[in-house]
Amino acid sequence: MDGMDTPTDAKVRLHELVLENGRSASPYVWRIRYALAHKGVPFESAPIGFTEIPKVFDGRFKTVPVIEHGNTIMAESWDIADYLERAFPGQPPLFSGPAEHAMVRLMDTWFSAEILRRMFRLYVLDVHNAARPEDRPYFRQSREGYLKGTSLEEFTADRAAILPALRDALMPLRSQLSRYPFLGGTAPNYADYIALGAFHWVASVSTLPLLAHGDDTLRKWLDAGFELYGGLGLDSRMKPLFE
Amino acid sequence: MDGMDTPTDAKVRLHELVLENGRSASPYVWRIRYALAHKGVPFESAPIGFTEIPKVFDGRFKTVPVIEHGNTIMAESWDIADYLERAFPGQPPLFSGPAEHAMVRLMDTWFSAEILRRMFRLYVLDVHNAARPEDRPYFRQSREGYLKGTSLEEFTADRAAILPALRDALMPLRSQLSRYPFLGGTAPNYADYIALGAFHWVASVSTLPLLAHGDDTLRKWLDAGFELYGGLGLDSRMKPLFE
């Protein structure tokens, strides 16, 4: 399972969630897209819809990303990132060492609690509406289950009221980016990929611009982040992130 | 100024804020106390009160910590931490490299915005009451100035209502500490010292326990953190952090 027997020249296949327009939307998949690009590991994309996730791999995985590499099949973005470090030791490392790794995990828990959670609050109906038509009933049912029966429409009716708190919660990013070009310092690191992945998710579906027009510190970093690795993040299907 | 001409055997003097009971209270001073212990650099303490800070060093510094080392005198905890790395290159490093350093700075901005800010909201009157009597009028005047004239008593009257949000904001620490013994991973790093320093500040003055009785994940880490470096953080004058 840990892939140590897999030759490093075996092809990597990335199973990723797609919307009706074909765009990869999951913030967790985007982390791995960036991680693969950072390491210079090419991959083949295997697009799937929300409805298919529990069906492929005999129900073994409930979430994407899932990667296949030789005999290895695995889910969970952190497990995959750690796997990529072990499986491609000759490629540029994602983490300089265990202390950076631990710090990025801490960043991830903060970011998930204060920012991703609020993004879900704002954009869950937009995700539904951008999903492939055949995925929408499943998406609605599963998410309304988390919401204990509240409809996506009710849940997001007052969503604009959340915007100020979400913009405030992004302050630590602005503070860091007023000091360094990337969250990771002079070069992008996995913390950048975590945060960029969330903005990709929003930009895939948004009908309500997340950021204020004058938020230049974030704008500069987003522009640079989308242009990384030959413009990996650039996509004409992206919705505006700025008012 | 950058101390490169200072012999590493010159004595370090740490100017630190003290309360009426003599205890060092500033969360920023505690970062440097831990940083010095981490590096194995002995220091001499120079206790001062709130009123004295603007008076010493000809008004050059408005905050503690201030360190003196040979011909170097400097304030600001991050500048001091970076200085200690340069001035004691043969001692254990605080940071494994620039990526960890950048990640800890990001942690610091998050921690200051979501946690320290709420701690100030809860404990500013307790700090006043624990200060040396001769420092209290100055402390009140300066802090009520930040609060645009609201008295410390008015500002903290409903403080218990803030506790749930503060305890929630600590979730990323709990998540990290359910995975690792320290925020920095298997060994404590400067992120631990930042967070421990904040709890030292609260424990120096608190008349309202910050943490719920059953918060065992934080309790275990706090106990381990206070015992670091020969029990640097243990002090019988500390107030209970737990209900």
Side-chain angles (χ1 to χ4, degrees):
Chain A
M1 249 304 284
D2 80 350
M4 291 299 94
D5 301 331
T6 300
T8 57
D9 61 351
K11 193 172 272 180
V12 171
R13 208 171 145 81
L14 174 65
H15 297 265
E16 49 184 333
L17 181 71
V18 292
L19 301 172
E20 184 176 21
N21 68 8
R23 183 165 158 74
S24 187
S26 156
Y28 301 99
V29 169
W30 272 102
R31 297 175 182 196
I32 299 305
R33 291 174 72 92
Y34 274 106
L36 287 162
H38 177 111
K39 295 191 77 72
V41 173
F43 68 94
E44 183 183 276
S45 170
I48 52 177
F50 286 101
T51 315
E52 292 160 301
I53 299 174
K55 293 179 185 168
V56 293
F57 312 113
D58 299 324
R60 199 166 133 202
F61 305 120
K62 291 196 169 59
T63 56
V64 288
V66 171
I67 62 156
E68 287 182 81
H69 180 227
N71 296 321
T72 300
I73 304 182
M74 63 187 339
E76 298 299 329
S77 57
W78 270 104
D79 292 342
I80 294 171
D82 292 343
Y83 170 78
L84 294 175
E85 289 283 77
R86 294 194 307 273
F88 298 95
Q91 297 297 106
L94 285 170
F95 303 100
S96 60
E100 182 191 354
H101 188 279
M103 285 294 94
V104 178
R105 285 217 81 141
L106 178 60
M107 177 273 181
D108 185 23
T109 61
W110 154 64
F111 192 84
S112 297
E114 300 286 350
I115 295 168
L116 270 181
R117 187 176 53 80
R118 289 191 174 100
M119 287 176 168
F120 176 84
R121 179 85 178 70
L122 274 158
Y123 297 109
V124 64
L125 180 60
D126 285 347
V127 176
H128 171 273
N129 294 339
R132 300 183 318 180
E134 63 270 36
D135 290 330
R136 291 180 202 164
Y138 166 81
F139 182 87
R140 177 183 290 280
Q141 189 188 10
S142 66
R143 270 52 176 187
E144 291 181 351
Y146 302 150
L147 303 175
K148 304 190 164 73
T150 306
S151 75
L152 300 182
E153 287 77 4
E154 287 164 344
F155 185 64
T156 55
D158 66 342
R159 65 176 181 165
I162 305 294
L163 264 184
L166 178 46
R167 291 176 179 176
D168 280 354
L170 293 166
M171 190 282 288
L173 299 188
R174 285 184 206 101
S175 172
Q176 182 80 346
L177 296 166
S178 68
R179 194 175 285 127
Y180 303 108
F182 293 101
L183 301 180
T186 52
N189 78 346
Y190 202 69
D192 289 277
Y193 308 149
I194 287 171
L196 286 167
F199 286 100
H200 272 293
W201 177 46
V202 169
S204 298
V205 301
S206 168
T207 59
L208 177 70
L210 174 58
L211 299 169
H213 180 73
D215 199 343
D216 292 334
T217 307
L218 283 183
R219 188 192 295 268
K220 196 173 159 194
W221 167 76
L222 286 164
D223 286 346
F226 293 162
E227 279 172 21
L228 286 171
Y229 310 120
L232 172 68
L234 294 172
D235 186 328
S236 63
R237 294 166 295 185
M238 285 167 84
K239 309 284 197 296
L241 284 170
F242 289 87
E243 277 177 349
Chain B
M1 250 304 284
D2 80 351
M4 291 298 94
D5 300 331
T6 299
T8 58
D9 60 351
K11 192 171 275 180
V12 171
R13 208 171 146 82
L14 174 65
H15 296 265
E16 49 185 333
L17 182 68
V18 291
L19 301 172
E20 185 176 19
N21 68 7
R23 183 165 157 75
S24 186
S26 157
Y28 300 99
V29 169
W30 271 102
R31 299 175 181 197
I32 297 306
R33 293 179 130 249
Y34 274 105
L36 287 162
H38 178 112
K39 295 191 77 73
V41 173
F43 68 94
E44 182 183 277
S45 169
I48 51 177
F50 286 101
T51 315
E52 291 160 301
I53 299 174
K55 293 180 186 170
V56 292
F57 311 113
D58 299 323
R60 200 165 134 199
F61 305 120
K62 291 196 169 58
T63 57
V64 287
V66 171
I67 62 157
E68 287 181 82
H69 181 226
N71 296 322
T72 300
I73 304 182
M74 64 188 338
E76 297 300 329
S77 57
W78 271 104
D79 291 343
I80 293 171
D82 292 343
Y83 169 79
L84 295 175
E85 289 285 76
R86 294 194 306 275
F88 298 96
Q91 298 296 107
L94 286 170
F95 304 100
S96 60
E100 182 191 352
H101 187 280
M103 286 292 95
V104 178
R105 285 217 80 141
L106 178 58
M107 175 275 180
D108 185 24
T109 61
W110 154 64
F111 191 84
S112 298
E114 300 286 350
I115 296 169
L116 269 182
R117 187 178 51 83
R118 289 190 174 100
M119 287 176 168
F120 176 83
R121 179 84 176 72
L122 273 157
Y123 296 110
V124 63
L125 180 60
D126 285 347
V127 176
H128 171 271
N129 294 340
R132 301 184 316 181
E134 64 267 37
D135 290 330
R136 290 180 201 163
Y138 166 80
F139 182 88
R140 176 183 291 279
Q141 188 188 11
S142 66
R143 271 51 175 189
E144 291 181 352
Y146 300 153
L147 304 174
K148 301 189 167 75
T150 305
S151 75
L152 300 182
E153 287 76 6
E154 288 165 344
F155 185 64
T156 56
D158 66 342
R159 66 176 181 165
I162 304 295
L163 265 184
L166 177 46
R167 290 176 180 176
D168 281 355
L170 294 166
M171 190 281 288
L173 299 189
R174 285 184 207 101
S175 172
Q176 181 80 348
L177 296 167
S178 68
R179 193 175 284 127
Y180 303 106
F182 293 101
L183 301 179
T186 53
N189 79 346
Y190 201 69
D192 289 278
Y193 308 149
I194 288 171
L196 286 168
F199 286 100
H200 272 294
W201 177 47
V202 170
S204 299
V205 302
S206 168
T207 58
L208 177 72
L210 174 57
L211 299 169
H213 180 72
D215 199 343
D216 292 335
T217 307
L218 283 183
R219 189 192 295 269
K220 198 174 157 194
W221 167 75
L222 285 164
D223 285 347
F226 292 162
E227 279 171 21
L228 287 170
Y229 310 119
L232 172 69
L234 294 172
D235 186 327
S236 62
R237 293 166 295 185
M238 285 167 84
K239 310 285 197 296
L241 283 170
F242 289 87
E243 276 177 350

